Amino acid sequence: MYSGTYFGAFIPTGLGLKVNLFDDAHLFVTSQYRIPVTKTTTAYHFFNQFGIAGRIGKKKEPVLKPLPPPPPVDTDKRWYHIDSLDTCPTVPGVAKYDGCPVPDTDKDGINDDDDKCPTVPGLARYPGMPCT
């Protein structure tokens, strides 16, 4: 209640039309039929309006965010080094040798890390021995 008068409530039902005149200007027309919820201060009636709407001021340009960088590529799927840092990107290897497999210089089947004589072929059961 305000100044001895009760407020009224109604349900607005209607339709409207909006037409773009220019990029920033619009013409609109609406019509409502208002159904009263409270009978003391409102009644069934139409409410019509028309007008123009537009932007005041400059149009803001959207700020485009940069795309995230693509994920790093690792062809050999070992993730010790991505391809750009991997010395041997297509062969699985270890980090100690920059992504390359452990070398076997003398090709005797024993990796140089475990081979007592890495430059002379030896027997697998005697870790690269005998050296001459």
Side-chain angles (χ1 to χ4, degrees), residues 90-121:
T90 58
V91 182
V94 294
K96 180 178 179 181
Y97 294 103
D98 295 326
C100 290
V102 178
D104 181 18
T105 306
D106 55 13
K107 307 284 187 237
D108 61 359
I110 302 167
N111 293 331
D112 286 354
D113 288 348
D114 300 327
D115 201 339
K116 302 263 192 241
C117 303
T119 57
V120 178

Side-chain angles (χ1 to χ4, degrees), residues 52-127:
I52 13 180
R55 179 181 295 116
I56 298 174
K58 292 183 179 180
K59 182 177 181 180
K60 292 184 180 179
E61 295 295 324
V63 177
L64 300 177
K65 295 180 181 178
L67 294 174
V73 177
D74 186 23
T75 307
D76 59 13
K77 304 288 187 238
R78 294 294 295 242
W79 296 108
Y80 292 124
H81 291 293
I82 56 174
D83 284 356
S84 62
L85 302 174
D86 199 339
T87 308
C88 305
T90 58
V91 182
V94 294
K96 180 178 179 181
Y97 294 103
D98 295 326
C100 290
V102 178
D104 181 18
T105 306
D106 55 13
K107 307 284 187 237
D108 61 359
I110 302 167
N111 293 331
D112 286 354
D113 288 348
D114 300 327
D115 201 339
K116 302 263 192 241
C117 303
T119 57
V120 178
L123 302 174
R125 67 179 155 168
Y126 305 112

Side-chain angles (χ1 to χ4, degrees), residues 3 12 15 19 25 29 33 37 56 69 79 81 90 108 127:
S3 297
L15 56 101
V19 178
V29 176
Y33 184 66
V37 176
I56 298 174
W79 296 108
H81 291 293
T90 58
D108 61 359

Side-chain angles (χ1 to χ4, degrees), residues 14-82:
L15 56 101
L17 176 69
K18 177 178 154 185
V19 178
N20 292 337
L21 298 176
F22 303 106
D23 190 28
D24 295 333
H26 314 283
L27 175 67
F28 64 90
V29 176
T30 61
S31 181
Q32 291 181 357
Y33 184 66
R34 294 184 171 180
I35 303 167
V37 176
T38 58
K39 303 286 186 204
T40 55
T41 58
T42 60
Y44 291 92
H45 64 280
F46 280 101
F47 176 77
N48 302 305
Q49 71 186 83
F50 66 94
I52 13 180
R55 179 181 295 116
I56 298 174
K58 292 183 179 180
K59 182 177 181 180
K60 292 184 180 179
E61 295 295 324
V63 177
L64 300 177
K65 295 180 181 178
L67 294 174
V73 177
D74 186 23
T75 307
D76 59 13
K77 304 288 187 238
R78 294 294 295 242
W79 296 108
Y80 292 124
H81 291 293
I82 56 174

